[in-house]
Amino acid sequence: MKKLQISLVLIIFLCIATAFSVSDTTPNEAAIKMVKNQFHTGLSDFSTAIKNLSAAAEIIDGSSANTKKLQVAHLETRLAFKRIEFFLEYFDRYSVKKILNGAPLLGVEPKVPEVVIIEPRGLQVLDELVFSDDLKSERSAIQNQIQQLAFDFSKIYKFQKNIDITHRFIFEASRQELIRIFSLGLTGFDTPGSANAIPEAKASMQSIKDALMPYIKMGSERKFQHAATLQNNLEQAITYLDKNQDFDSFDRMYFLRNFTDPLYNHVYQLQRFLNVETIKEVEQTVQSINEEAQSIFDPEFLNKSFYANMDFNNPLIQKRIELGRILFFDPILSNNLERSCASCHKPEKAFTDGLAKSLAMGGESHIDRNAPTIINSVFSERYFYDLREPKLENQIQHVVFSKEEFASNFFEVTKKLKQSNDYKKLFAEAYPDYPKYQFTKWSI
């Protein structure tokens, strides 16, 4: 009986010890509850701000007083959006980009047989309208945009408020927002009319701090050195934004080096210390950003495999790269055998030609645009001056078919490649699984 009692005591002790051990190494659900309340309150505040903006738009009459009311209501709406942007973007990036806060540029409906123009809508469009010189003439457009914004967000609200938030989501959303604050916020892209970028950056940074504070507190209690550093950097960044409100004189390089990049690392270090998994540990899909990068200047910060849609770990990758390099400099792709890709994208000129307008076929006239650099072009979302091509692998067909550039087609290109024993060998080595298909049955 005594042995049984001792055993029970040991079991109870081990259970208690294990419970303390788990809570001592990983965050508890209280942190998630706090952040969830923050997010849900922010969703409600944004909805209320849109209603106030709508009311202000109803009294547009050209007077300075009502114009000021509208602009203030608009700025408050944008600040409310910025306080929840980190989660809205993380959970539904497409809706934010295309509906809530997309660029005020025309878009094209994807995956349809004909060209369907999409009119821009959302907060950035409103930013231009509300701060236009002739506000009274824009009254109808402003009211329509606000009405659309209210309708769109009502749908998004229903989706977002039911999302289950995890520790990983909080850390990843915070790190992504740090990049967004600098790349789209402080640069002014987000505020094309108001130039209210710095107050909005402050609102976003404050939201990151609020979301991370439960975790910073846990890290501090466990003597994790990065916790105090992270908190100090967040507070200093917010203070710097508060004291340097002038858009034109704001020292962006200082902010990038002293706040954005260090914070990106400190958030990651805290995540690992608290044993919060990264997306790489739970998903096999290649991500656009390398979550393990500790600096946004890390050479591996962006996953080139994601953007290029290529497996750079493939043992044949070097042969394929070399084949591409040869084709890049070979005029065999052009109709007159005189022009190659390198004719306009010269390596010695940063892969441009240095001309205001590039030379057309024959070299006697010019095309309408200059040749852009192709350095880091793999990370672009669209190609050509009019953004008509969304896929990098399809970019070449526009050049091949253009009468002013290669003036050819894939039938002719294939025919010439098939006549070359050297190219047959190079393709066979780079693509050994289907060399015969490439050169005996290949039809475009």
Side-chain angles (χ1 to χ4, degrees):
M1 185 66 178
K2 190 173 182 179
K3 289 183 177 180
L4 179 59
Q5 290 176 334
I6 294 174
S7 298
L8 288 172
V9 170
L10 287 173
I11 291 172
I12 293 172
F13 175 79
L14 287 173
C15 289
I16 294 173
T18 301
F20 275 109
S21 176
V22 171
S23 63
D24 192 48
T25 56
T26 57
N28 54 40
E29 294 303 307
I32 290 179
K33 185 176 181 180
M34 292 176 65
V35 178
K36 193 171 184 177
N37 288 338
Q38 173 191 341
F39 182 46
H40 286 188
T41 299
L43 288 170
S44 179
D45 290 345
F46 184 43
S47 181
T48 300
I50 295 174
K51 292 177 182 177
N52 294 336
L53 178 60
S54 180
E58 290 298 323
I59 57 174
I60 296 175
D61 56 8
S63 67
S64 59
N66 287 337
T67 295
K68 184 65 175 178
K69 287 180 181 179
L70 175 65
Q71 291 176 344
V72 169
H74 168 73
L75 294 179
E76 288 297 328
T77 303
R78 283 198 57 88
L79 288 173
F81 166 75
K82 285 295 175 178
R83 294 185 186 104
I84 54 174
E85 181 185 41
F86 71 125
F87 268 153
L88 288 176
E89 285 265 9
Y90 183 81
F91 293 130
D92 193 359
R93 185 168 298 138
Y94 180 86
S95 292
V96 174
K97 182 177 180 180
K98 297 296 183 181
I99 299 175
L100 291 184
N101 194 43
L105 302 170
L106 294 174
V108 179
E109 185 70 43
K111 299 179 181 179
V112 294
E114 68 280 347
V115 176
V116 178
I117 302 298
I118 302 175
E119 293 289 338
R121 65 184 196 257
L123 290 169
Q124 285 193 40
V125 178
L126 275 168
D127 204 68
E128 285 192 335
L129 292 172
V130 170
F131 285 88
S132 63
D133 294 331
D134 188 5
L135 194 63
K136 191 174 181 179
S137 66
E138 302 287 3
R139 174 175 177 169
S140 178
I142 290 172
Q143 291 174 343
N144 289 339
Q145 283 288 337
I146 296 173
Q147 183 179 9
Q148 184 67 55
L149 177 64
F151 175 80
D152 291 335
F153 184 65
S154 67
K155 304 298 182 183
I156 294 171
Y157 193 168
K158 291 178 181 179
F159 165 72
Q160 293 270 359
K161 71 177 183 179
N162 292 317
I163 293 175
D164 289 329
I165 296 175
T166 69
H167 301 302
R168 176 170 66 83
F169 294 169
I170 296 168
F171 281 96
E172 289 175 354
S174 297
R175 294 184 88 201
Q176 291 175 17
E177 184 67 9
L178 286 170
I179 300 169
R180 196 175 296 113
I181 287 172
F182 188 84
S183 60
L184 294 176
L186 292 175
T187 53
F189 282 107
D190 248 4
T191 50
S194 65
N196 198 46
I198 299 175
E200 290 190 5
K202 178 186 172 184
S204 296
M205 192 69 74
Q206 183 65 55
S207 292
I208 293 175
K209 178 177 179 289
D210 292 343
L212 292 176
M213 276 310 298
Y215 301 95
I216 291 173
K217 183 178 179 181
M218 280 183 272
S220 297
E221 291 171 348
R222 298 164 199 174
K223 311 299 182 184
F224 181 57
Q225 60 178 359
H226 281 279
T229 305
L230 172 56
Q231 182 174 350
N232 289 335
N233 275 19
L234 282 168
E235 292 172 351
Q236 290 169 9
I238 293 169
T239 300
Y240 188 85
L241 290 166
D242 188 50
K243 292 183 177 180
N244 296 274
Q245 294 277 317
D246 184 70
F247 181 82
D248 293 330
S249 63
F250 189 84
D251 192 338
R252 289 163 180 80
M253 181 57 70
Y254 178 85
F255 194 87
L256 177 65
R257 296 180 63 179
N258 290 276
F259 300 119
T260 305
D261 200 49
L263 283 169
Y264 191 80
N265 177 37
H266 295 322
V267 173
Y268 174 78
Q269 297 299 336
L270 180 60
Q271 178 181 359
R272 302 312 289 149
F273 175 78
L274 295 175
N275 292 321
V276 176
E277 75 279 3
T278 65
I279 193 169
K280 187 176 181 180
E281 294 173 306
V282 296
E283 290 190 20
Q284 294 183 344
T285 306
V286 177
Q287 303 298 313
S288 59
I289 291 178
N290 176 14
E291 289 292 337
E292 295 181 348
Q294 298 176 35
S295 168
I296 60 176
F297 298 108
D298 190 315
E300 302 301 321
F301 173 68
L302 294 175
N303 283 325
K304 57 186 178 182
S305 296
F306 174 88
Y307 294 94
N309 195 25
M310 294 174 61
D311 180 10
F312 284 89
N313 294 319
N314 190 312
L316 297 171
I317 192 64
Q318 289 305 319
K319 291 184 180 295
R320 295 176 181 179
I321 290 174
E322 184 57 30
L323 173 57
R325 194 191 319 275
I326 294 171
L327 285 167
F328 185 83
F329 290 96
D330 195 339
I332 195 173
L333 300 179
S334 63
N335 182 47
N336 63 2
L337 299 179
E338 294 180 358
R339 166 169 289 212
S340 70
C341 301
S343 298
C344 294
H345 301 284
K346 303 177 185 294
E348 67 273 18
K349 294 186 177 181
F351 289 94
T352 71
D353 55 16
L355 301 175
K357 292 183 178 180
S358 298
L359 291 171
M361 177 72 75
E364 297 181 357
S365 61
H366 295 81
I367 62 175
D368 293 335
R369 303 283 171 170
N370 56 19
T373 179
I374 59 172
I375 295 174
N376 288 333
S377 61
V378 69
F379 301 122
S380 298
E381 287 190 335
R382 288 186 175 273
Y383 302 89
F384 299 104
Y385 72 95
D386 56 1
L387 308 179
R388 64 183 180 271
E389 181 51 62
K391 293 185 178 180
L392 177 61
E393 57 267 32
N394 291 343
Q395 181 269 349
I396 183 63
Q397 68 182 3
H398 296 262
V399 179
V400 170
F401 294 154
S402 172
K403 294 180 179 179
E404 295 180 318
E405 297 184 70
F406 285 179
S408 185
N409 57 68
F410 286 130
F411 291 106
E412 291 299 321
V413 171
T414 304
K415 180 180 177 181
K416 287 184 285 188
L417 290 173
K418 286 162 64 174
Q419 293 172 350
S420 168
N421 289 328
D422 289 336
Y423 271 120
K424 286 182 180 180
K425 182 175 182 294
L426 289 169
F427 269 94
E429 291 176 346
Y431 299 92
D433 293 339
Y434 42 96
K436 292 182 179 179
Y437 174 76
Q438 288 281 6
F439 288 99
T440 61
K441 299 181 181 179
W442 190 12
S443 62
I444 302 296

